[in-house]
C-alpha cells in the first residue's frame, strides 16, 4: 500500500507537470514595426528579436514582423497593441507624446543622457517600472520593454546653413518629440511624418528641413542627395530608445520562461543596436564630405541658448503632467551623481 501511494504521488506529479506544459498555449504574435528592418540600430533590432524569440522558445513564442505600413500605420502602433488588434509592436514611443505626455522622456530627451547612462537609469533607477505606470495611468493596456537604443542623431538636414536661433523662425521642419516643442518655441513650423516619406517631402519642398536619425540611417534614406547642410551635435536626441510593446492580455498569457526570453532578447537587442550604430556612423559621416555635404557644428553659445529654451519647455511640460514631472525629476536626480563619474572617468576624445 505504501509503495502504491508513492507511485501514485509520482504519477500525479508527472501528470501535473505534463498538464501544465500542455496548457501553456503556444503564442503567435503579429508585430508591426515603425522602422524598416534594414535600418541599422533602429529597425534591425526588431527583426532580430522576433527571430531570436522564435528560435529560443523552440517555437512556443513565434513573432512575425510586418514592415512599416503593411499591417498598422507607424503612428498607430501603441493604440493597436493596447486595443488587441495586434499582439505586439516595435516602435519609438516618443511618437505618442500627444496621448501620453511623459512618454518622450523614455524615448529621447533634449540635452539628455548618453545612451549607456539612460540604460543605467532605466534598468537600475526605476525607469522600467515607471514606464509601465505611465502607460497604465493614461489607460493603455500594454507591457513595454526597452528593446533597442542608438546614440545621438544629427541635428538635422537643411538647404541653408543654421547659424543663429533666428534661422529657425518660419522654417518648415520635420522634428520629433520634445525637440520639436523647443523649435516651436523658436517660431519653427514643426510637422511629423514617418521616415519613409521624408525624402519626397524634402524634394518637393513640402518641408524645408528634417531630422530623422544618425548618419548610417540618414544615408540610406538619401537626405544627402537633396540637401547639403548637416548639423551637429544632435542636442535634441542624445539617445534614441525603441521598445517592444506587448498587449497586456498577451503578456499575462506568457509563462515565466517566455517572459524571461522576451526580457533577455530585448536586453541583447539593446546592446546590439547601440553597437551597430557606433560601428557604422564614423565611416558614413566621413563619406558625406566626399559627397559635398557640409557638416556644421552648432557654436557653443547657440547650444547654450537652445539649452535655455529646452529648460523652459521641460518646466512647462512638468507643470502640465504629474507623470512627466515625476519621471523628469527621477532622471535629473540620477544625473546629479552620474555627471561626477562622466566628467572624471572618460578620456577626452582628442587624446
Amino acid at each position: 500500500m505504501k509503495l502504491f501511494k508513492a507511485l501514485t504521488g509520482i504519477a500525479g506529479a508527472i501528470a501535473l507537470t505534463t498538464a501544465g506544459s500542455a496548457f501553456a498555449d503556444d503564442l503567435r504574435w503579429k508585430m508591426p514595426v515603425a522602422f524598416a528592418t534594414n535600418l541599422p540600430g533602429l529597425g534591425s533590432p526588431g527583426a532580430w528579436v522576433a527571430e531570436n524569440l522564435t528560435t529560443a522558445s523552440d517555437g512556443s513564442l513565434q513573432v512575425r514582423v510586418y514592415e512599416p505600413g503593411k499591417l498598422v500605420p507607424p503612428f498607430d502602433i501603441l493604440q493597436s497593441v493596447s486595443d488587441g488588434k495586434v499582439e505586439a509592436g516595435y516602435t519609438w514611443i516618443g511618437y505618442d507624446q500627444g496621448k501620453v505626455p511623459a512618454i518622450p522622456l523614455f524615448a529621447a530627451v533634449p540635452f539628455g543622457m548618453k545612451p549607456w547612462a539612460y540604460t543605467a537609469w532605466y534598468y537600475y533607477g526605476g525607469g522600467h517600472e515607471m514606464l509601465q505606470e505611465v502607460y497604465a495611468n493614461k489607460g493603455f493596456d500594454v507591457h513595454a520593454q526597452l528593446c533597442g537604443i542608438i546614440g545621438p542623431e544629427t541635428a538635422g538636414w537643411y538647404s541653408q546653413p543654421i547659424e543663429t536661433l533666428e534661422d529657425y523662425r518660419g522654417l518648415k521642419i520635420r522634428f520629433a518629440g520634445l525637440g520639436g516643442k523647443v523649435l516651436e518655441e523658436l517660431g519653427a513650423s514643426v510637422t511629423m511624418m514617418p521616415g519613409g516619406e521624408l525624402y519626397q517631402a524634402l524634394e518637393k519642398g513640402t518641408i524645408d528641413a528634417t531630422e530623422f536619425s544618425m548618419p548610417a540611417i540618414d544615408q540610406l534614406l538619401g537626405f544627402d542627395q537633396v540637401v547639403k547642410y548637416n548639423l551637429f551635435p544632435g542636442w535634441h536626441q542624445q539617445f534614441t530608445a525603441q521598445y517592444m510593446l506587448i498587449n497586456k492580455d498577451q503578456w499575462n498569457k506568457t509563462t515565466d520562461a517566455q517572459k524571461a526570453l522576451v526580457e533577455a532578447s530585448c536586453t541583447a537587442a539593446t546592446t546590439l543596436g547601440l553597437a551597430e550604430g557606433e560601428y557604422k556612423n564614423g565611416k558614413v559621416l566621413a563619406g558625406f564630405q566626399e559627397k559635398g555635404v557640409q557638416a556644421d557644428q552648432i557654436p557653443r553659445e547657440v547650444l547654450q541658448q537652445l539649452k535655455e529654451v529646452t529648460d523652459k519647455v521641460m518646466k512647462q511640460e512638468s507643470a502640465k503632467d504629474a507623470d512627466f514631472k515625476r519621471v523628469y525629476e527621477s532622471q535629473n536626480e540620477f544625473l546629479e551623481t552620474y555627471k561626477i563619474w562622466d566628467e572624471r572617468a572618460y578620456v577626452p576624445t582628442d587624446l
Side-chain angles (χ1 to χ4, degrees), residues 68-111:
K70 297 299 183 182
L71 185 63
V72 171
F75 295 167
D76 292 348
I77 288 176
L78 169 62
Q79 194 68 59
S80 296
V81 174
S82 180
D83 292 345
K85 294 178 180 177
V86 293
E87 293 81 7
Y90 185 85
T91 186
W92 182 71
I93 59 178
Y95 291 140
D96 294 304
Q97 67 179 1
K99 300 173 183 176
V100 190
I103 267 317
L105 295 172
F106 298 91
V109 181
F111 294 95

Side-chain angles (χ1 to χ4, degrees), residues 225-244:
Q225 300 170 21
V226 187
V227 291
K228 296 297 184 181
Y229 290 94
N230 191 200
L231 203 58
F232 292 87
W235 57 272
H236 64 300
Q237 288 193 208
Q238 285 290 284
F239 74 90
T240 298
Q242 300 86 253
Y243 293 80
M244 186 176 180

